[in-house]
């Protein structure tokens, strides 16, 4: 009894963990069973791949995967470019007006792109980027969060290295590229993980800006596939859900430590 | 002297050049749209016969006279009021557990954190299984105890609650990470000192750990506030804001007005109100919270 009491906390922790993964585990199990077995909890039901086959044939998943992949790549490249330059300017170059602009950038942390959907939609259409992957990605490239992160990383680089590179004859760009960027590598990796997982999962904005299967990312494709109007049954929805989360989930489970570190590094200033 | 001036001029040019891509993009997709939203919230909705014209604050007056707006606002306040404290408390317990010496610790950490890496849309699909009346998991469990079938998502009393549960499930593990990091910075000697004094674990947690976690809690609080505006994707799958607007939240309401009912002016007015609320949160963050943490 005493042993039990001492471990009641451990039990609580494990119980919560089981509750927390159960929706995922259940859907995983259901994805491999036919609907009647799944809804009746028939543990002895036969395992089958039929749901995956039906789901796979029901929508252009390969295209969706490709779109999502291109989307996160485009966003990441854009973000790296924009935030590196701006972060460097904010961290290491002194010029009038800098601090004022920095406050403007910080303000953007709270003007969520999600809230400005109406005008951003108008803007993207005006630029002729409606229903393009670039149109989905562009509003996220000048991420205030990323600029802030890069500024912090660059501030941590010892100024002696900067001086040394200058004495060696490096220009601004050379110093940035050879000294700052390599030293900020951990920050880049962390930022990349956070950015990729955020945009892999993003939904509302891509829903608004995409209109054809040629640009639609996975999340939007999944929501259309699973819409009740389509009358797809729940085991097949599970299979489709499993398919679309599998890549990110597998990467996460393998690189769990790095993921957690990444979220930490980017979250706590 | 002249050389020095020239150098600082050059530095200025470099500075602005480096900032220009960011400034152009931020202007295009944040600052200008914010202004444009405000501007268009002052105009009437144009139709083929009646072109849109300046109407001042009429769109806002319409909103304040519309019971749906108040319903949605109340829903969002309930949503924030429930998801924020509950996910913070769960996140804190998760972190304390995941940081203590208990069996299966790595499984526990993974389990807590996994929902964070799933898209909200996928999370909503998983939870559909639990909520579907008749054969959903919750109903099946209920029927074991002889409880009647409940249409969780289909009735006004439970729809918002069901949405709240999914949000908590999704974000608690994320917040746990920040607590976990903060816990690991608490020096071991504090625990040792407490042990020597013979303090109970509960007392140690309450008087030492929790105060030390205060800055983290505030950081999480700001994030959670933003999330309570932002996290609405699951509405598209689970309830579509229904039944009878019972689970409709502000951002979904904006989306619906603008893209389902094509009423951009009222959507703009609502957006401005949300931006104002976010501005207040930002103000609180930069004045009160940043006194504790300094960005240098």
């Amino acid at each position: 009894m005493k042993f039990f009491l001492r471990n009641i906390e451990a039990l609580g922790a494990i119980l919560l963990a089981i509750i927390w993964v159960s929706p995922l585990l259940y859907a995983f199990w259901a994805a491999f069973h036919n609907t009647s077995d799944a809804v009746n909890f028939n543990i002895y039901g036969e395992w089958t791949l039929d749901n995956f086959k039906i789901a796979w044939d029901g929508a252009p998943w390969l295209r969706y995967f490709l779109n999502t992949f291109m989307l996160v790549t485009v966003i990441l490249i854009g973000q790296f470019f924009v935030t590196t330059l701006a972060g460097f300017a904010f961290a290491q170059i002194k010029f009038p007006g800098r601090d004022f602009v920095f406050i403007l950038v910080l303000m953007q942390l709270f003007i969520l792109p999600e809230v400005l959907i109406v005008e951003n939609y108008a803007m993207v259409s005006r630029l002729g980027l409606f229903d393009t992957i670039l149109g989905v990605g562009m509003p996220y490239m000048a991420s205030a969060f990323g600029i802030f992160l890069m500024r912090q990383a660059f501030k941590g680089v010892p100024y002696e290295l900067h001086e040394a590179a200058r004495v060696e004859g490096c220009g601004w760009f050379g110093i940035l590229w050879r000294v700052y960027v390599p030293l900020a590598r951990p920050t880049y990796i962390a930022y990349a993980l956070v950015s990729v997982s955020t945009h892999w999962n993003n939904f509302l904005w891509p829903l608004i800006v995409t209109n054809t299967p040629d640009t639609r990312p996975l999340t939007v494709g999944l929501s259309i596939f699973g819409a009740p109007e389509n009358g797809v049954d729940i085991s097949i929805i599970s299979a489709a859900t499993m398919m679309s989360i599998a890549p990110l989930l597998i990467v996460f489970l393998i690189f769990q430590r790095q993921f957690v570190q990444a979220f930490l590094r980017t979250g706590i200033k | 002297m002249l050389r020095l001036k020239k150098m600082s001029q050059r530095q200025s040019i470099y500075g602005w050049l480096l900032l220009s891509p960011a400034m152009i993009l931020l202007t295009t997709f944040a600052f200008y749209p914010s202004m444009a939203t405000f501007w268009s919230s002052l105009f009437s909705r144009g139709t083929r016969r009646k072109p849109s014209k300046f109407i001042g604050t009429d769109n806002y007056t319409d909103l304040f006279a519309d019971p749906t707006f108040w319903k949605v606002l109340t829903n969002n306040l309930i949503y924030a009021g429930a998801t924020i404290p509950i996910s913070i408390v769960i996140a804190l317990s998760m972190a304390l557990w995941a940081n203590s010496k208990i069996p299966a610790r790595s499984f526990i950490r993974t389990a807590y954190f996994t929902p964070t890496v799933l898209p909200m849309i996928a999370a909503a699909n998983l939870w559909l299984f639990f909520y579907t009346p008749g054969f959903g998991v919750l109903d099946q469990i209920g029927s074991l105890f002889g409880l009647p079938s409940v249409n969780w998502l289909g009735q006004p009393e439970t729809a918002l609650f069901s949405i709240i549960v999914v949000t908590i499930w999704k974000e608690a593990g994320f917040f746990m990470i920040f607590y976990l990091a903060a816990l690991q910075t608490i020096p071991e000697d504090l625990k040792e000192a407490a042990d020597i004094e013979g303090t109970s674990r509960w007392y140690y947690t309450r008087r030492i750990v929790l105060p030390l976690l205060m800055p983290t809690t505030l950081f999480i609080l700001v994030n959670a506030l933003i999330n309570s505006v932002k996290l609405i994707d699951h509405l598209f799958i689970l309830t579509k804001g229904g039944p009878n607007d019972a689970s409709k939240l502000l951002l979904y309401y904006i989306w619906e007005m603008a893209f389902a009912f094509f009423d951009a002016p009222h959507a703009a007015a609502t957006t401005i109100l949300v931006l104002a609320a976010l501005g207040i949160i930002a103000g609180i963050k930069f004045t009160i919270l940043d006194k504790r943490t300094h960005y240098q």
Side-chain angles (χ1 to χ4, degrees), chain A residues 131-153:
Chain A
D131 202 25
T132 62
I133 287 182
L134 191 61
V136 183
M138 242 173 133
Y140 295 104
M141 285 178 187
S143 134
F145 165 75
I147 293 173
F148 188 70
L149 204 64
M150 284 307 152
R151 172 181 176 262
Q152 296 304 101

Side-chain angles (χ1 to χ4, degrees), chain A residues 143-207:
Chain A
S143 134
F145 165 75
I147 293 173
F148 188 70
L149 204 64
M150 284 307 152
R151 172 181 176 262
Q152 296 304 101
F154 292 155
K155 266 185 179 291
V157 173
Y159 200 70
E160 291 77 24
L161 291 175
H162 183 122
E163 285 290 306
R166 202 164 63 189
V167 170
E168 294 289 323
C170 268
W172 284 107
F173 183 75
I175 295 173
L176 174 59
W177 186 245
R178 298 207 181 142
V179 178
Y180 285 89
V181 171
L183 285 172
R185 227 187 87 173
T187 308
Y188 280 108
I189 293 174
Y191 184 32
L193 282 175
V194 173
S195 167
V196 167
S197 60
T198 308
H199 293 288
W200 190 284
N201 296 341
N202 198 11
F203 171 73
L204 183 62
W205 175 244
L207 171 75

Side-chain angles (χ1 to χ4, degrees), chain B residues 78-115:
Chain B
I78 296 172
Y79 183 66
T83 54
I84 295 170
I86 297 176
S87 42
I88 287 181
V89 168
I90 293 180
L92 182 59
S93 336
M94 284 175 165
L96 289 170
W97 280 335
N99 199 43
S100 61
K101 294 180 183 67
I102 50 171
R105 198 169 63 167
S106 70
F107 159 73
I108 285 171
R109 277 190 196 185
T110 310
Y112 292 162
F113 188 70
T114 303

